[in-house]
Amino acid sequence: MRILKIAMLAATLLPLGSYAALGGAPSMDASAPTMMLRSVAPDTPSAAAYTVRASQTTYGVTVREYVLPTNVVFAVTWDGPVRPDMNALLGSYFPNFVSSGNGHPRGTGALIERNGDFQIESAGRAGHFFGKALLPRLMPANVHIEDLQ
C-alpha cells in the first residue's frame, strides 16, 4: 500500500511532457513519444554533425532537439497550439528569455533576441505558436539558423 501511495505521489508531481533543456542532454523520458528524425553528416564521413529528435507534448506541441555527437542539445524548436513550458525547454537559459523584454512587459507577441551566447525567436497567435532557441557557440560549422525547422 505504501508503494502505491509513493507511486501516485510521484505521478502527480512529475511533469506530463518532458524534453531536453537547451545546453543539456537530450530527453530520455520513455513516456513521451520520441523519434529520431535524421542524422546530418558533416563534410567528413567519420560521424554525424548532429541528430534531430522530435517529441510531442500532451498539448500537441512538437519539440525538436538538435543534438551534437557529444550528447548536448545545441538548439530546440517548437510548433503547436500553445507555447511549451519555456522554463523546462530553456533550462538555465530561461532567465535570458525572461529578461529579453528589457524591462518592458511582454505579452504573447513576437520575441527575437540575439546576443553572443543565446538566441531565441518566438512568435505565434492563439492556436499556433512556434519558435527556436539556440546556442551559437555550440552550433556545428556548416549549420545555419535557417536549417533549424
Side-chain angles (χ1 to χ4, degrees), residues 2-143:
R2 183 171 184 217
I3 294 174
L4 180 62
K5 287 180 182 179
I6 292 172
M8 288 175 48
L9 178 64
T12 55
L13 295 178
L14 293 174
L16 293 176
S18 178
Y19 26 81
L22 192 61
S27 66
M28 300 304 264
D29 185 7
S31 66
T34 303
M35 59 188 292
M36 176 123 91
L37 293 178
R38 65 182 178 269
S39 282
V40 179
D43 295 335
T44 60
S46 60
Y50 66 93
T51 56
V52 181
R53 295 173 38 126
S55 61
Q56 191 166 33
T57 69
T58 56
Y59 298 108
V61 179
T62 300
V63 176
R64 290 179 185 81
E65 306 167 345
Y66 295 81
V67 185
L68 295 170
T70 57
N71 208 31
V72 173
V73 177
F74 71 90
V76 290
T77 63
W78 60 92
D79 184 15
V82 297
R83 272 200 181 113
D85 177 1
M86 299 304 281
N87 191 16
L89 192 68
L90 301 178
S92 64
Y93 293 91
F94 182 72
N96 292 4
F97 172 72
V98 172
S99 66
S100 302
N102 297 324
H104 302 296
R106 281 195 3 255
T108 58
L111 168 69
I112 299 175
E113 178 69 25
R114 294 185 177 105
N115 65 38
D117 190 39
F118 172 73
Q119 294 184 11
I120 188 166
E121 298 175 11
S122 180
R125 56 177 168 66
H128 185 229
F129 290 93
F130 55 93
K132 62 180 85 171
L134 60 114
L135 303 174
R137 65 182 164 75
L138 295 179
M139 284 185 63
N142 296 332
V143 178

